[in-house]
Amino acid sequence: MIDKHRRKRPNWRKLLLLLLLCGFVLLNGIAWMQAWAMTHYAPGGERTAKPEALSLSGKVRAILGGVTVTRPTNSHTPADLGLQYEPRTIDMEGGYLEAWFVPHLEARGLVLMFPGYAESKESLLPSASALHGMGYNLLLVDFRGAGGSSGGETTLGVSEARDVARSVEYARVQWPGEPIALYGVSMGAAAVMRAIAAEGVQVEAAILEGPFNRLLNTVRNRFQSMGLPATPGSELVVFWGSVQQGFNGFEHNPEEYAASIKCPTLLLRGMNDPRVTLDEVRSIYARLPGTKQFAILEGAGHELLATYSPGWWESEVDGFLQKYVTQ
């Protein structure tokens, strides 16, 4: 006779399925939140430190509570480096871009400059000072959402490619006949590459500093910098970022854009860059079909190379521009 008072055995299969479902929902919720935080600038607060600089508790807070990426601002101008400049506004659909034009009395050409992820045009000032010293007019541009430009979001180079294209269009009207080179750092370099490949931008030369080869890879590298397994978190972040922003992040691949870049191109990388691996940059270089140069700076990380080693950077860039841009 069955003891009716005997406890029921737990259904381990159902319990396991429930735990897996909860884990799946939690993981996707964290990924959704991380993707939102990466692409929507916070209006204030303290920006989350770089992954390598976070303590264990800081990493846990960043994972569970999301990173804080504050809106990039400009607290310095070319005048702080003794350079005369003119604020410019570049109108575009749905908003505007703020730029600084730094003129040269005997300009050899014009260099349009674009900053990296979560940076404003202020971050380009060391490179701008060096380029001006080489004899070039400069146009430093804030991407949408950053500095003095309208908006509050970033798409890690996708929509920013249209900012590059609009800036080139503006420059052609303002300074007709002047040879143009594009200079982009990190995300700015990715935006420049996409502008040439997808927006039909044509210029005399491009300088690409530390571009990632695939959006998925750069997200993976950030996971690894936190000491976390890259899969499946990075895939989920890219997926939810794509849903939120309305584009396919798995197809945002500068490595593929490279095949459409016919203008002379200078590719630069810091040897110790934790965000962009050497193989990633080499994959970009291999696919560039036109005249190209590749230079690696020993000791440098994912940072402005003109600041890390001004002499090295000026030598590489000046020689390149004199060959392909100087009028």
Side-chain angles (χ1 to χ4, degrees):
M1 188 171 177
I2 298 173
D3 184 358
K4 293 181 180 180
H5 298 289
R6 189 168 55 188
R7 287 184 177 182
K8 266 188 170 184
R9 292 182 178 178
N11 188 324
W12 294 110
R13 181 177 296 178
K14 286 185 178 180
L15 182 59
L16 179 60
L17 288 174
L18 179 61
L19 289 173
L20 289 173
L21 178 61
C22 290
F24 176 80
V25 171
L26 178 63
L27 187 59
N28 275 272
I30 291 174
W32 189 95
M33 179 177 57
Q34 294 291 346
W36 182 271
M38 285 180 65
T39 57
H40 292 72
Y41 292 129
E46 185 177 351
R47 181 172 176 172
T48 302
K50 293 181 179 180
E52 301 88 349
L54 288 172
S55 64
L56 178 59
S57 60
K59 290 179 180 180
V60 172
R61 287 195 300 271
I63 293 167
L64 298 180
V67 296
T68 299
V69 184
T70 53
R71 194 182 196 280
T73 58
N74 296 301
S75 56
H76 298 282
T77 72
D80 293 311
L81 299 181
L83 300 174
Q84 293 184 346
Y85 77 102
E86 305 167 10
R88 297 290 183 110
T89 300
I90 303 173
D91 293 324
M92 58 184 301
E93 185 177 354
Y96 58 88
L97 305 175
E98 184 184 85
W100 293 330
F101 174 60
V102 182
H104 195 284
L105 292 177
E106 299 178 354
R108 296 176 171 182
L110 173 66
V111 181
L112 274 61
M113 307 179 69
F114 302 94
Y117 171 68
E119 297 285 357
S120 67
K121 58 185 180 294
E122 173 192 76
S123 67
L124 300 169
L125 287 175
S127 301
S129 179
L131 285 166
H132 189 266
M134 296 175 200
Y136 295 92
N137 286 333
L138 309 173
L139 189 69
L140 290 70
V141 182
D142 274 328
F143 282 126
R144 60 187 65 206
S149 295
S150 61
E153 301 179 17
T154 176
T155 59
L156 295 103
V158 176
S159 297
E160 287 78 6
R162 294 196 290 274
D163 299 350
V164 173
R166 178 68 187 99
S167 299
V168 173
E169 181 183 20
Y170 174 87
R172 295 289 188 202
V173 172
Q174 294 293 314
W175 304 281
E178 191 157 355
I180 292 177
L182 302 180
Y183 168 70
V185 177
S186 189
M187 184 192 81
V192 165
M193 296 177 73
R194 182 176 172 87
I196 295 172
E199 301 293 331
V201 167
Q202 294 184 11
V203 290
E204 278 64 39
I207 302 170
L208 310 172
E209 190 168 309
F212 56 84
N213 71 336
R214 294 179 175 273
L215 179 59
L216 179 59
N217 282 343
T218 199
V219 175
R220 282 174 174 163
N221 292 341
R222 286 181 177 271
F223 268 77
Q224 291 168 352
S225 294
M226 293 273 285
L228 299 171
T231 299
S234 53
E235 286 83 359
L236 290 174
V237 168
V238 173
F239 171 77
W240 286 116
S242 301
V243 171
Q244 294 166 8
Q245 294 293 333
F247 65 84
N248 187 347
F250 296 100
E251 294 181 352
H252 180 34
N253 302 319
E255 175 183 286
E256 296 173 6
Y257 305 151
S260 300
I261 300 176
K262 305 296 195 303
C263 67
T265 303
L266 174 60
L267 191 57
L268 302 172
R269 178 190 183 264
M271 176 57 82
N272 299 333
D273 190 338
R275 299 280 184 271
V276 181
T277 68
L278 183 56
D279 285 342
E280 287 177 47
V281 182
R282 281 176 172 163
S283 71
I284 292 174
Y285 184 74
R287 300 197 67 174
L288 290 168
T291 301
K292 55 189 177 181
Q293 297 178 22
F294 184 20
I296 299 175
L297 177 56
E298 295 288 340
H302 196 72
E303 57 196 300
L304 199 69
L305 301 183
T307 300
Y308 186 87
S309 181
W312 179 91
W313 190 88
E314 290 172 23
S315 176
E316 295 291 340
V317 172
D318 192 26
F320 174 77
L321 291 176
Q322 287 199 47
K323 279 185 184 178
Y324 303 111
V325 177
T326 298
Q327 57 185 356

